[in-house]
């Protein structure tokens, strides 16, 4: 799966969340959209899907379990025969069963989570126009990921991703 496909998938989930106001229904809609997009992407990948392995793990942001999000395992650059696969993160945990899991190999890992806040409108744009949601996770963990995982044939393929958020901007003096 190319970065453009991942970006399009994430943007689609963000637009879905703005339309639903970040509600539980919105999260469910985003999960269905992401699952459908991944379902379309997997057959495009290399290989026949044989030898898939279950993967699971924990994700924290600033030492707290990530409430909700999405994890994507994408074949590392130069990795042949891997499939891009992903799953939902709930209460800091994710699990992708073997039938849907990645094949053994090296993967870049991308983690996404919406802040539930829409981006500000561009100058001259109506505040009522649809805008993407602001991502809760810094770019170094998704579009410019630094995260990696090696999926082995023998398992257990359990991972722990401890993410650090962006520091809050300094407050103006006198507040």
């Amino acid at each position: 799966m190319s970065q453009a496909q991942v970006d399009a998938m994430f943007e689609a989930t963000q637009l879905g969340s703005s339309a639903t106001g970040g509600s539980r229904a919105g999260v469910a809609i985003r999960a269905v959209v992401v699952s459908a997009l991944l379902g379309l992407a997997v057959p495009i990948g290399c290989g026949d899907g044989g030898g898939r392995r279950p993967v699971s793990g924990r994700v924290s942001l600033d030492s707290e379990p990530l409430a909700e999000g999405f994890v994507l395992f994408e074949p590392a650059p130069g990795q042949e025969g891997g499939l891009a696969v992903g799953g939902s993160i709930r209460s800091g945990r994710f699990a992708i069963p073997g039938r849907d899991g990645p094949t053994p190999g090296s993967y870049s890992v991308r983690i996404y989570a919406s802040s539930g806040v829409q981006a500000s409108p561009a100058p001259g744009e109506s505040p009522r126009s649809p805008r993407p949601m602001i991502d809760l996770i810094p770019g170094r963990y998704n579009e410019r990921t630094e995260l990696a995982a090696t999926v082995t044939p023998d398992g257990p393929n359990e991972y722990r991703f401890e993410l650090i958020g962006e520091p809050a901007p300094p407050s103006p003096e006198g507040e």
Side-chain angles (χ1 to χ4, degrees):
M1 181 179 291
S2 72
Q3 181 62 42
Q5 290 170 315
V6 171
D7 291 343
M9 174 180 60
F10 183 65
E11 186 173 315
T13 65
Q14 295 306 299
L15 290 174
S17 64
S18 67
T20 59
S23 66
R24 280 202 179 276
V27 170
I29 290 169
R30 288 192 308 274
V32 169
V33 169
V34 168
S35 297
L37 289 171
L38 279 174
L40 293 173
V42 169
I44 297 170
C46 300
D48 63 2
R52 290 177 163 215
R53 299 291 180 252
V55 294
S56 61
R58 296 175 184 233
V59 180
S60 64
L61 178 63
D62 295 329
S63 302
E64 296 293 325
L66 185 63
E68 293 181 350
F70 188 80
V71 61
L72 176 68
F73 285 75
E74 184 177 50
Q79 178 75 31
E80 296 295 324
L83 300 169
V85 300
S88 296
I89 300 166
R90 300 269 190 260
S91 301
R93 295 178 181 264
F94 68 91
I96 304 171
R99 71 179 179 276
D100 300 324
T103 56
S106 298
Y107 290 82
S108 294
V109 178
R110 300 176 190 278
I111 298 176
Y112 299 92
S114 174
S115 66
V117 177
Q118 265 189 329
S120 298
E125 183 179 38
S126 167
R128 301 188 91 161
S129 64
R131 298 178 310 278
M133 300 301 277
I134 296 172
D135 198 359
L136 186 63
I137 307 296
R140 69 181 174 273
Y141 303 123
N142 44 58
E143 72 256 6
R144 300 179 315 277
T145 192
E146 301 169 354
L147 303 174
T150 300
V151 175
T152 64
D154 301 324
N157 297 315
E158 294 176 1
Y159 306 94
R160 184 174 196 95
F161 300 108
E162 298 179 4
L163 314 180
I164 300 170
E166 298 288 344
S171 61
E173 302 230 9
E175 285 190 28

